[in-house]
């Protein structure tokens, strides 16, 4: 076992990060750089990019663990440092997870200040910035200053979907790590080997999740998530006339919201109990004096995250729906590409025979427009109702 095990189908990335982490072993030079200072394959700022679910933050965290690891080769996965980083309790690794829709300049300045201190016991002072693309412009500028003049022991690990999501001035100072969409087979293998999912289910959900590992795992292990997806995939079948189309819209929005609620609650529970423990909760569940503020802060952050989880969940439902029409189009064009929804093959073939590809393209376009409108904060139910109407008439 090593810290790299969770990186599924990302061999080139693992090789790149491994060599950088191992390269930090005793690189004291005549130029007076401290042992292990950036040099060779090491850099002060790294940018992890790749499609959602490919494992950007997993890769960044594994790299963080390897940098703090006290064994060789770095990233053993069993030393105390590796454990602490992977569990999020290492004193010299701060994980920044913007809870709301953006990340402000005040928080960034505070972060930069903390990042400039020397590591307390680890080898590096590491900041792992998930969703760095959510930094406001002012926040990004504060970040740029920190990256331009890095303290010798500080390492920034930034994650964004694509390099274009960051200021070019920041991007140009980062070593780029590019994750790819993991192959369906690799995702299915992990589900079988690590989660004990049976092979057939693993392959169906790996395809359905289109390379999004945690999504695939959720579909494989949570019947509720499978039910929601089934409801979304039933929408095309329900668009027989105006009444059912309106109802289908309502079902879709409600199903996505219910799933978001479950996911947010799970996240909240884990976080809250971790914080309560860290703050010194007694065996009877009593909290020490003066800790109420920290718990309240966490609660506020969780509330603003709930909004984002809800939006993401509806967006994913629409992408699932798009995969239906993408399959129909594949069949209509006879492109021979593999279907995402193999379990619906018969229904998809019927749908494909019913009209020209132009109609399917218009439907796909309507879904993308609906996603844009939701991104612009249009009322979800209204936007999805308009969508189901457009899907009905094609
Ligand atoms: Zn280790």
């Amino acid at each position: 076992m090593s810290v790299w095990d969770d990186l599924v189908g990302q061999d080139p990335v693992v090789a790149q990060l491994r060599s950088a982490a191992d390269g930090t072993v005793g690189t004291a030079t005549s130029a007076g750089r401290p042992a292990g200072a950036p040099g060779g394959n090491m850099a002060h700022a790294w940018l992890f990019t790749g499609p959602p679910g490919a494992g950007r933050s997993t890769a960044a965290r594994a790299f963080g663990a390897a940098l703090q690891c006290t064994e060789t080769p770095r990233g053993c996965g069993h030393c105390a440092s590796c454990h602490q980083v992977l569990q999020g309790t290492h004193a010299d690794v701060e994980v920044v997870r913007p809870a709301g829709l953006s990340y402000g300049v005040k928080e960034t300045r505070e972060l930069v200040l903390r990042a400039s201190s020397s590591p307390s016991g680890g080898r590096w002072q590491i900041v792992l910035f998930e969703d760095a693309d959510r930094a406001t412009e002012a926040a990004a500028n504060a970040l740029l200053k920190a990256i331009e003049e890095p303290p010798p022991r500080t390492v920034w690990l930034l994650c964004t979907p694509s390099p274009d999501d960051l200021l070019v001035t920041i991007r140009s100072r980062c070593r780029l790590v590019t994750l790819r969409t993991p192959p369906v087979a690799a995702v299915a293998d992990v589900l079988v080997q690590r989660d004990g999912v049976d092979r057939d289910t693993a392959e169906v959900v790996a395809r359905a999740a289109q390379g999004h590992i945690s999504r695939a795992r959720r579909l494989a292990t949570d019947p509720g998530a499978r039910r929601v997806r089934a409801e979304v995939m039933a929408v095309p079948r329900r668009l027989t006339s105006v009444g059912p189309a309106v109802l289908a819209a309502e079902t879709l929005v409600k199903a996505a919201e219910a799933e978001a609620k479950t996911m947010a609650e799970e996240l909240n529970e884990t976080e809250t109990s971790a914080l309560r423990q860290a703050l010194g909760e007694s065996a009877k569940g009593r909290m020490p004096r003066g800790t109420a503020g920290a718990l309240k802060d966490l609660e506020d952050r969780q509330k603003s995250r709930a909004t984002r989880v809800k939006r993401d969940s509806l967006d994913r439902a629409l992408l699932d729906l798009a995969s239906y029409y993408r399959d129909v189009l594949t069949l209509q064009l006879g492109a021979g590409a593999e279907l995402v929804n193999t379990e619906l093959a018969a229904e998809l073939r019927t749908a494909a025979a019913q009209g020209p590809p132009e109609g399917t393209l218009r439907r796909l376009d309507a879904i993308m427009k609906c996603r844009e409108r939701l991104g612009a904060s249009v009322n979800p139910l209204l936007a999805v109702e308009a969508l189901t109407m457009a899907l009905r008439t094609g």
Side-chain angles (χ1 to χ4, degrees), residues 25-292:
V25 184
T27 51
T29 67
S30 53
R33 269 202 313 245
N41 293 328
M42 192 49 195
H44 277 293
W46 294 75
L47 176 57
F48 293 78
T49 70
R56 296 185 293 258
S57 55
T58 309
R61 187 158 314 160
F63 187 43
L67 289 177
Q68 302 289 23
C69 180
T70 50
E71 304 286 318
T72 43
R74 306 277 178 203
C76 68
H78 50 73
C79 74
S81 298
C82 278
H83 265 291
Q84 286 163 357
V85 178
L86 296 181
Q87 285 175 355
T89 56
H90 197 291
D92 296 321
V93 178
E94 175 159 358
V95 178
V96 184
R97 218 175 272 123
L101 296 171
S102 66
Y103 195 75
V105 65
K106 184 169 163 278
E107 298 143 290
T108 309
R109 287 212 182 102
E110 287 165 7
L111 180 68
V112 166
L113 199 65
R114 286 199 299 281
S116 65
S117 62
S118 300
S120 65
R123 304 170 64 229
W124 304 94
Q125 183 68 258
I126 297 177
V127 182
L128 196 174
F129 201 147
E130 290 186 359
D131 301 321
D133 51 310
R134 290 186 201 258
T136 61
E137 204 183 326
N141 280 316
L143 190 61
L144 173 62
K145 286 208 188 78
I147 291 176
E148 272 174 337
E149 291 164 32
R153 289 280 171 183
T154 300
V155 179
W156 291 86
L157 308 177
L158 311 177
C159 305
T160 64
S162 100
D164 303 332
D165 297 325
L166 276 187
L167 287 180
V168 63
T169 39
I170 294 184
R171 194 168 76 215
S172 63
R173 283 176 174 79
C174 291
R175 190 75 54 82
L176 195 61
V177 179
T178 313
L179 291 112
R180 56 174 184 171
T181 300
V184 168
V187 175
D189 282 348
V190 168
L191 294 178
V192 171
Q193 287 158 17
R194 208 160 324 151
D195 302 280
V197 176
D198 69 87
R199 173 63 60 181
D200 288 348
T201 308
E203 274 171 14
V204 169
V205 298
R207 243 193 308 272
Q210 298 178 69
H212 197 303
I213 298 160
S214 59
R215 172 82 181 139
R217 181 170 288 135
R218 192 164 189 93
L219 285 173
T221 55
D222 175 3
R226 273 206 298 281
R227 214 163 35 239
V228 169
R229 187 169 196 277
E231 282 188 44
V232 171
M233 301 314 282
V235 166
R237 196 171 328 141
R238 296 178 62 189
L239 304 176
T240 47
S241 61
V242 174
V246 171
L247 283 179
E250 199 184 323
T251 313
L252 191 152
V253 172
K254 279 198 175 144
E257 283 180 355
E259 194 182 6
K261 189 160 174 272
T262 316
M263 288 175 73
E265 280 170 2
E266 279 174 20
L267 285 169
N268 293 357
E269 258 177 51
T270 327
E271 269 176 8
T272 307
S273 79
L275 181 64
R276 289 178 71 95
Q277 269 188 8
L279 293 175
E281 183 178 21
S282 76
K284 287 184 179 157
R286 213 169 290 141
M287 296 303 298
R289 207 186 286 255
T291 54

Side-chain angles (χ1 to χ4, degrees), residues 341-356:
N341 303 285
T342 41
E343 73 284 5
L344 297 177
E347 180 184 332
L348 291 166
R349 262 191 286 278
T350 311
Q354 271 167 0

